[in-house]
Amino acid sequence: MILAQAPIERSAITTLLLSAVVCTTTLPALAADPSEFSRAEKLVFVDHQLANVKAPASLRYTFVKSGSLEPGFEDEVRIDVKRKGKVCCTVDGNFLSGERKMKLPEIEEAQANPVILYFLERDIREMERLTKGKSGYFRKRIRMTMVDEAKVRDTKISYEGREVDAQEVSLNPYETDPLRARFEKYAQKRYTFVLASGVPGGVYQVRTALPGALPGDAPVLEEVMTLAGPAAGDKQPSKK
């Protein structure tokens, strides 16, 4: 399986995105003008986020679920980046643990960090569970708003005691949904991706939040995955 990488047609990337982690079909890379992608798509799904990871390496992410909707928990996500021959990179993922663990296939020739796809795949399965809707529909909404409605802004993060330049991509897939009434309870759900080339793997944080009824209320549901750093004993070079 090949993770989406530039340059390829949007038709190819949109077929692959958010289904890459649950299918075994390899899709060919088709030549196209990279300008066909929105800035949000490039940042989240296309950029070579693994460029600063020296394989073999392992990256850890904390995962925290909270909110009033359901009991929360804290867990961990791990991706293992390795070479196969002269090719880099092949990625294995361990997403959560115990009964929450999500089975993931190995992704070959990855350039973008698949931890984003893993997070979104779990999110889509949760939306399907909570709403009884169809996973394909939720994938479509995320994809469409990533192209047409996502907002991108420059920001800064703190990582290992230093300030790092980053980009934040945010979207509300269900706010403008023509079928919003079917999922009204989740219409204000917001997705935020924080990307930074100066941290290992290029992905600092991914989070979703369903706000409370009133301004200032705690979120009804929030899930946050944040880079903790290389696995113990695995020091990775970082951009100063």
Side-chain angles (χ1 to χ4, degrees):
M1 177 171 12
I2 299 177
L3 190 65
Q5 50 188 295
I8 55 177
E9 289 182 351
R10 173 172 282 135
S11 60
I13 194 172
T14 53
T15 300
L16 187 57
L17 293 181
L18 312 184
S19 61
V21 296
V22 291
C23 74
T24 57
T25 302
T26 297
L27 297 180
L30 304 175
D33 184 344
S35 66
E36 291 184 12
F37 298 104
S38 69
R39 185 184 178 199
E41 285 179 293
K42 290 177 183 177
L43 287 169
V44 176
F45 295 123
V46 178
D47 282 356
H48 195 346
Q49 297 155 345
L50 296 177
N52 64 3
V53 177
K54 184 178 179 180
S58 297
L59 299 177
R60 296 182 302 108
Y61 302 80
T62 59
F63 188 101
V64 180
K65 175 179 177 177
S66 60
S68 59
L69 184 65
E70 295 181 326
F73 64 83
E74 296 184 11
D75 209 328
E76 185 174 281
V77 175
R78 175 175 171 144
I79 65 166
D80 297 316
V81 184
K82 55 189 178 182
R83 288 182 176 271
K84 276 195 172 181
K86 296 182 179 180
V87 177
C88 188
C89 295
T90 295
V91 179
D92 282 325
N94 290 286
F95 202 95
L96 307 184
S97 62
E99 62 183 15
R100 293 187 290 263
K101 186 173 182 178
M102 189 171 71
K103 186 176 181 181
L104 301 168
E106 184 178 79
I107 296 180
E108 297 180 354
E109 298 182 33
Q111 292 190 5
N113 189 337
V115 76
I116 292 177
L117 293 179
Y118 297 158
F119 181 98
L120 289 175
E121 183 59 31
R122 180 187 180 277
D123 173 80
I124 287 165
R125 294 183 190 186
E126 286 294 285
M127 285 293 291
E128 191 172 42
R129 176 181 69 85
L130 292 168
T131 68
K132 310 305 179 185
K134 298 297 184 181
S135 60
Y137 186 79
F138 300 127
R139 286 190 180 94
K140 179 180 178 182
R141 288 303 308 166
I142 292 172
R143 189 171 65 231
M144 291 177 65
T145 51
M146 185 69 72
V147 173
D148 300 323
E149 301 176 25
K151 297 178 180 178
V152 181
R153 72 180 185 93
D154 294 331
T155 186
K156 292 184 181 294
I157 60 170
S158 177
Y159 179 74
E160 294 188 335
R162 58 191 173 88
E163 191 175 75
V164 179
D165 292 333
Q167 293 76 44
E168 180 184 277
V169 178
S170 59
L171 57 149
N172 296 68
Y174 313 111
E175 189 172 42
T176 58
D177 189 348
L179 300 180
R180 171 175 170 158
R182 294 176 56 185
F183 311 107
E184 183 62 34
K185 187 175 180 180
Y186 299 91
Q188 298 301 320
K189 186 174 183 179
R190 187 175 186 84
Y191 293 67
T192 305
F193 307 83
V194 183
L195 300 313
S197 62
V199 304
V203 178
Y204 174 70
Q205 188 176 81
V206 183
R207 64 181 181 269
T208 61
L210 181 62
L214 298 174
D217 285 356
V220 174
L221 178 64
E222 185 172 49
E223 295 186 336
V224 184
M225 180 180 70
T226 306
L227 177 67
D234 184 5
K235 292 295 183 180
Q236 286 291 305
S238 58
K239 185 180 294 185
K240 298 295 184 181

